Amino acid sequence: MPQGHVDRIFWIDTLSRIAQPVLHHLNNRQLKEKMPVEGKLDDRPMYTYLEALGRLLTGIAPWLEHGSREGEEGRLRERYAEQARGAIDAATDPASPDFMNFSEGYQPIVDAAFLSHAILRAPGELWNKLDGRVKDNVVKALQSTRTRKPYYNNWLLFAAMIEAALFRAGAEWDRMRVDYALRQHEQWYKGDGVYGDGPDFHADYYNSFVIQPMLVDLIETFKNEDPFWASMQENVIQRARRHAVQQERLISPEGTFPAVGRSLAYRFGAFQLLSQMALQHQLDATLVPAQVRCALTAVIRRVIDAPGTFDENGWLTIGFCGHQPEIGETYISTGSLYLCSAVFLPLGLPADDPFWQGEADWTGKKAWSGQSFPIDKALY
């Protein structure tokens, strides 16, 4: 069996292992009853369930939208797509025991945005196939986040992403929230493919967890709505390509990556941007798609095989490599961890795409085995 096919099966099996408890219990409207809440603060049950839903769906969405319709993969994809729609219903139905908090505290801005990003990534499966009642509930839930004020940092993009989902839904949307987020991030660009998280540079993975994936998709969504937004697209894509090159070079020959910055409990979600550039066929010319797949596969294996990554009932535990509850910040809880699913975005590519074909060593593996590898250079 070709290695690319083996890798795709492994990716789907791993994503299924992560997704199954969340989607199964939400469809039974038992998530709040069944999901453990690990964390350092007692208020996490207010937020953790929407975190689990929004973050899981933002990663699984491209596969639900574009994955195979045939064979075992097709049957699994169809089942998860149906369960995802049921999960959205359970989360936004005020009569549901799993009705989620969209309007108390600040955290709901974040995870309503991840849910919104999922809808943008899979409009056919996660929006068009919802019935009218559920669509109305989703719109009301997203609109209810407007009572919250985002922080003056990457959170501006969360507010804009919620507006993008409302725009996609044909509902009233706020141009100012979108414009403010886009213009401020242009001001916060630091050079060489890196944005500040607010006015200051942060040495962490937030350019990939949030900033660049959302910027790329916000511009694509709204480029026909304003000439200035359209004019930003070329620079936004160039910077994203450059940052994806940097991300690929962080992956060691063993599939490890630096434990730098906050939110390390999101595990391989740190590579969302590299995965998105592969999904959107926007990889830099120095990156062969197969080498990106092989590098990401090495990371996924290294992380998922660590003892303690899942509890006895299949829920993710707090940690970077295994169960390490001490590395969870106060805003981290069980639901937060499902942002790891963002690494699986390339499952939205068909099995015959170059990403899933052949084998190739990644930069770190080439460099540390004495092979030739491209000189790195800054983006000017």
Side-chain angles (χ1 to χ4, degrees):
M1 185 181 294
Q3 188 59 47
H5 187 61
V6 172
D7 289 349
R8 186 177 178 92
I9 292 172
F10 167 69
W11 281 44
I12 291 170
D13 287 349
T14 305
L15 178 57
S16 179
R17 184 180 180 187
I18 292 167
Q20 196 274 335
V22 176
L23 295 181
H24 171 74
H25 290 301
L26 259 175
N27 270 264
N28 291 331
R29 301 199 169 194
Q30 294 179 321
L31 186 70
K32 292 182 180 180
E33 176 185 343
K34 299 292 187 180
M35 191 178 94
V37 184
E38 183 184 14
K40 294 178 177 176
L41 296 182
D42 293 339
D43 68 348
R44 292 303 95 186
M46 288 181 62
Y47 312 119
T48 197
Y49 306 109
L50 182 56
E51 287 185 289
L53 174 64
R55 294 168 188 228
L56 174 65
L57 291 188
T58 203
I60 200 173
W63 180 59
L64 299 182
E65 188 80 349
H66 302 293
S68 177
R69 264 60 178 169
E70 299 177 355
E72 185 176 352
E73 179 184 335
R75 288 189 292 273
L76 185 66
R77 186 211 60 78
E78 181 58 36
R79 176 160 66 88
Y80 278 142
E82 185 175 346
Q83 287 189 344
R85 293 189 290 272
I88 292 171
D89 184 9
T92 58
D93 178 3
S96 166
D98 279 334
F99 179 60
M100 295 180 182
N101 168 29
F102 287 84
S103 59
E104 293 183 41
Y106 290 96
Q107 185 67 35
I109 303 173
V110 178
D111 299 295
F114 284 124
L115 176 59
S116 297
H117 205 172
I119 291 170
L120 290 190
R121 285 171 165 167
E125 293 293 333
L126 299 184
W127 181 255
N128 295 344
K129 291 185 179 181
L130 299 178
D131 66 33
R133 174 188 60 82
V134 181
K135 287 180 177 179
D136 287 345
N137 285 338
V138 171
V139 168
K140 289 175 183 175
L142 296 182
Q143 288 174 335
S144 71
T145 65
R146 289 175 173 165
T147 61
R148 313 294 87 202
K149 186 181 76 170
Y151 296 115
Y152 189 60
N153 54 19
N154 72 83
W155 280 45
L156 296 182
L157 292 168
F158 297 139
M161 185 58 72
I162 293 167
E163 298 305 315
L166 292 170
F167 170 78
R168 174 64 184 79
E172 177 269 331
W173 60 285
D174 186 346
R175 301 179 71 92
M176 182 61 75
R177 291 172 191 258
V178 176
D179 191 63
Y180 186 41
L182 296 180
R183 288 179 185 269
Q184 279 304 131
H185 279 81
E186 184 64 27
Q187 292 293 315
W188 293 337
Y189 180 63
K190 302 302 180 186
D192 201 21
V194 177
Y195 293 87
D197 190 356
D200 298 323
F201 168 75
H202 288 208
D204 57 29
Y205 292 104
Y206 270 77
N207 267 258
S208 185
F209 287 142
V210 175
I211 296 169
Q212 303 218 38
M214 288 198 176
L215 276 175
V216 168
D217 287 349
L218 283 167
I219 291 290
E220 179 61 28
T221 300
F222 288 117
K223 65 184 180 183
N224 294 326
E225 299 301 311
D226 187 289
F228 178 76
W229 300 344
S231 73
M232 294 178 64
Q233 187 171 40
E234 183 177 356
N235 281 339
V236 166
I237 292 292
Q238 284 184 346
R239 296 164 184 171
R241 285 196 196 115
R242 170 60 184 152
H243 198 67
V245 167
Q246 295 165 346
Q247 287 214 299
E248 192 269 351
R249 285 175 177 254
L250 292 177
I251 300 173
S252 79
E254 301 78 26
T256 62
F257 60 98
V260 173
R262 62 194 180 98
S263 300
L264 292 176
Y266 300 159
R267 294 184 168 95
F268 39 59
F271 293 96
Q272 174 172 202
L273 181 64
L274 180 58
S275 292
Q276 179 166 311
M277 291 294 95
L279 172 69
Q280 297 178 344
H281 293 140
Q282 292 286 3
L283 291 171
D284 186 81
T286 62
L287 294 178
V288 176
Q291 84 183 70
V292 174
R293 185 197 83 240
C294 291
L296 291 174
T297 301
V299 171
I300 295 167
R301 288 190 183 279
R302 184 69 178 79
V303 170
I304 215 70
D305 288 345
T309 300
F310 299 91
D311 73 8
E312 64 275 10
N313 294 314
W315 301 97
L316 290 170
T317 66
I318 294 175
F320 178 66
C321 182
H323 187 208
Q324 300 155 308
E326 68 281 356
I327 67 105
E329 290 85 357
T330 55
Y331 54 81
I332 294 292
S333 63
T334 302
S336 316
L337 312 176
Y338 287 86
L339 190 55
C340 71
S341 70
V343 78
F344 298 106
L345 297 179
L347 283 171
L349 296 169
D352 61 357
D353 187 88
F355 183 87
W356 299 108
Q357 304 302 309
E359 298 178 68
D361 288 344
W362 54 98
T363 304
K365 197 169 183 180
K366 291 176 182 176
W368 288 101
S369 62
Q371 300 179 56
S372 296
F373 65 98
I375 294 173
D376 198 24
K377 58 182 180 180
L379 174 65
Y380 294 105

